[in-house]
Amino acid sequence: MKRRLQFFIVGVLVLSLLLLASCGADFGVDGNAEQTDEGAEGDISEREDLIVVGVCQVGSESVWRTANTESIQQTFTGDNGYFLIFNNARQKQENQIKAVRRFISQKVDYIVISPITEDGWDTVLKEAKDAEIPVILMDRKVNVSDPELYTAWVGSDFFLEGKNAGEWLEQYLEKKGMSEEEIHIVVLQGTEGSSAMIGRSKGFESVADKHKNWIILEQAGAEYTTAKAKEEMKRMLDKYPDIDVVVSQNDDMTFGAIDAIEECGLTAGEEGDVILISFDAVYTALKLVEAGKIGVDVECNPLQGPYVESIIKALEYNWGFEKENYVPEQVFYKENVSEFLPDRKY
Ligand code: AHR
């Protein structure tokens, strides 16, 4: 009896190990799962009727990112004729590179990548090109020696977003009669080396450079997350007693900045101590624009799934398409935000 129980326990253990192995998770040296690929139901090789798309996402760091993931998942469904393999790289480029290599060995029909950072893509993109798998970049860009290494790109004009933020501040200060005053600015930046961080920083600086009285006290990296932004904002509020403007490169960081500002006994908004400039324009942030806490929110449009699909369709049917595709975006401030709020779904 005792012996049968031992056999039973060993059997359960072996079965659990086999099940874990078949889940396709990658295990890092610390034994934690780094990432998993979520496939649609069934085996790829048996789905010759569907177009197989491997999507490599940055992570799930922001409300924007969740909306972007949903846009992809709602577009590439079985009903629409696709077999989606979705990979969440958890903010690590090495995970993205491993995922792309897996997609190549799985012989997917298309690879879609939202690159975490711009650099470091030449080798793996060359591998995809050699395997004759078209790569469509989504959201952010790559910095490669040969632009033929990817087929097309869909995303935002991050430079324009930053410039729009700067021009809004220019007009706001003029309206308040503060154009000649010394303005102290701090910037909460997103992931170092990402297109969104690079473009928004350069775009804002292109306007700031024209104003000798705009003093950028510090640009602090806060990884597009609320927690890190709150920490950085608290540190900067301690260091600089006279911050007039916070440029926060996404809404999630803006939420953290507001917490820090309020915990320091200060207020944000037109009548308050600090002017907030934000990016993304998710629903919760737009409500804060309406309430006057955020001065301006420059939209970054996450609904990119249908644009990526239109490129895949063009490739399938041999239609022409543009290599660079900008998604439509606008700028929200107190005077115009209310009319757009009811339609904001994320
Ligand atoms: O690349 C787009 C940026 O990445 C969005 O502004 C941000 O919220 C996201 O995480």
Side-chain angles (χ1 to χ4, degrees), residues 61-62 64-65 139-140 158 196 200 224 249-250 252 279-280 300:
E61 73 284 3
S62 61
W64 186 98
R65 188 64 55 195
D139 164 31
R140 303 178 185 172
F158 295 117
R200 287 171 189 163
Y224 294 120
Q249 290 182 348
N250 85 347
D252 298 74
F279 294 84
D280 283 1
C300 182

Side-chain angles (χ1 to χ4, degrees), residues 188 222 225-234 248 252-254 256-257 260:
L188 288 165
T225 66
T226 301
K228 184 76 181 151
K230 184 171 174 183
E231 194 184 302
E232 283 301 309
M233 193 66 227
K234 273 199 160 162
S248 162
D252 298 74
M253 294 195 292
T254 307

Side-chain angles (χ1 to χ4, degrees), residues 125 129 135 144-151 323:
L125 290 185
K129 195 169 169 58
V135 172
V144 280
S145 49
D146 174 9
E148 292 304 309
L149 288 178
Y150 63 90
T151 304
K323 177 129 179 159

